[in-house]
Amino acid sequence: TYPLSPSFIRTIPDGDTHERAVCETCGFVNYQNPKIVVGAVVRHEGRVLMCKRAIEPRRGFWTIPAGFLEVHETPEDGARREAFEEANADLELKGLLAVYTVARLSQVQLIYRAVLRDADFSPGPESLETRVCTWDEIPWEEIAFPTVTWALNHDRMVEEGTASGPFVNPPGGTGG
C-alpha cells in the first residue's frame, strides 16, 4: 500500500495566531519562514570590493558579495562562500555590520565587515566584473539594491569612527 498524500488546508493551528497550511491527515504544520541573506562589505587597502551581477534579479547592476544562506551553514561560512562564488575572494570577517529586513520579500540580511586575505580576486560565475573601488569610484547610480547602499554607508561610518554597529534599516527604509 502507498501512504496517503498530504492534503493541506489553511487554518489557524491550536495555540497559534496565524493561518497556516496544515495537513488534514497528520496535523503537520507547514511553516513559511523568512529567507536569510548573508554577505559582506569587503575592504582591501582602503577600497571596497564590488561585484557586477551576472544573474537576475538586477543583472548588470553592482552589489557587495551576498546571497542566500544554505541549509546547515553558519552565517559566517555563508558570507565567505558568497564572496568566493561572486569574486573568487578569500575573506577574513571582522564582525557583524548590520541586520536589515526586507519585509515585502520576507528577507533578513546579515551583513558583515571583512577584508581580503590577499589581493587575488576575479569574477566568479555569479559576476560579470569585480573591482575594488574608492568611495568616489563606487557606481552609485548602478547599485542593485537599497540594502547595498545602506551597508556601504554604514561601513563608512564605522571606518570613520562616527558610529558603530550592528546597524538596522535606516528610518523609513524598507529595502523595497
Side-chain angles (χ1 to χ4, degrees), residues 8 15 18 22 25 27 29 31 33 36 41 43 50 63 68 92 104 116-117 127 134 153 156 158-159 162:
F8 287 92
H18 291 79
V22 178
T25 306
V29 180
Y31 291 98
N33 301 107
I36 299 173
V41 176
R43 291 195 167 261
M50 299 295 295
T63 188
F68 291 109
E92 178 182 341
R104 76 175 181 81
L116 288 174
R117 289 189 191 272
S127 297
T134 65
N153 283 308
R156 186 172 194 202
V158 172
E159 283 290 306
T162 59

Side-chain angles (χ1 to χ4, degrees), residues 35 68-74 81:
K35 296 290 186 183
F68 291 109
L69 185 68
E70 296 292 344
V71 174
H72 307 295
E73 184 176 52
T74 68
R81 176 188 48 77

Side-chain angles (χ1 to χ4, degrees), residues 10-33:
R10 300 289 302 173
T11 188
I12 299 174
D14 290 340
D16 204 333
T17 58
H18 291 79
E19 188 175 89
R20 316 260 186 208
V22 178
C23 178
E24 289 183 298
T25 306
C26 69
F28 173 80
V29 180
N30 186 22
Y31 291 98
Q32 298 293 307
N33 301 107

Side-chain angles (χ1 to χ4, degrees), residues 37-146:
V37 171
V38 292
V41 176
V42 182
R43 291 195 167 261
H44 179 69
E45 297 178 350
R47 296 172 182 249
V48 177
L49 176 64
M50 299 295 295
C51 303
K52 191 173 198 176
R53 293 178 59 82
I55 58 175
E56 294 294 347
R58 307 290 284 164
R59 178 183 163 84
F61 286 81
W62 291 88
T63 188
I64 57 176
F68 291 109
L69 185 68
E70 296 292 344
V71 174
H72 307 295
E73 184 176 52
T74 68
E76 296 84 359
D77 287 344
R80 285 188 287 268
R81 176 188 48 77
E82 284 293 335
F84 188 78
E85 287 177 359
E86 295 184 16
N88 292 305
D90 184 19
L91 303 187
E92 178 182 341
L93 298 181
K94 295 295 187 180
L96 185 64
L97 174 67
V99 177
Y100 302 129
T101 57
V102 184
R104 76 175 181 81
L105 298 176
S106 292
Q107 285 183 6
V108 175
Q109 299 187 5
L110 304 174
I111 307 299
Y112 293 87
R113 298 185 77 232
V115 295
L116 288 174
R117 289 189 191 272
D118 57 53
D120 291 333
F121 65 90
S122 61
E126 297 183 7
S127 297
L128 298 170
E129 182 181 344
T130 55
R131 62 181 173 196
V132 289
C133 302
T134 65
W135 187 256
D136 293 336
E137 294 170 337
I138 293 171
W140 294 105
E141 299 301 315
E142 300 172 45
I143 296 293
F145 310 107

Side-chain angles (χ1 to χ4, degrees), residues 147-167:
T147 54
V148 172
T149 301
W150 301 349
L152 292 168
N153 283 308
H154 286 147
D155 182 73
R156 186 172 194 202
M157 293 166 65
V158 172
E159 283 290 306
E160 293 175 341
T162 59
S164 62
F167 296 91

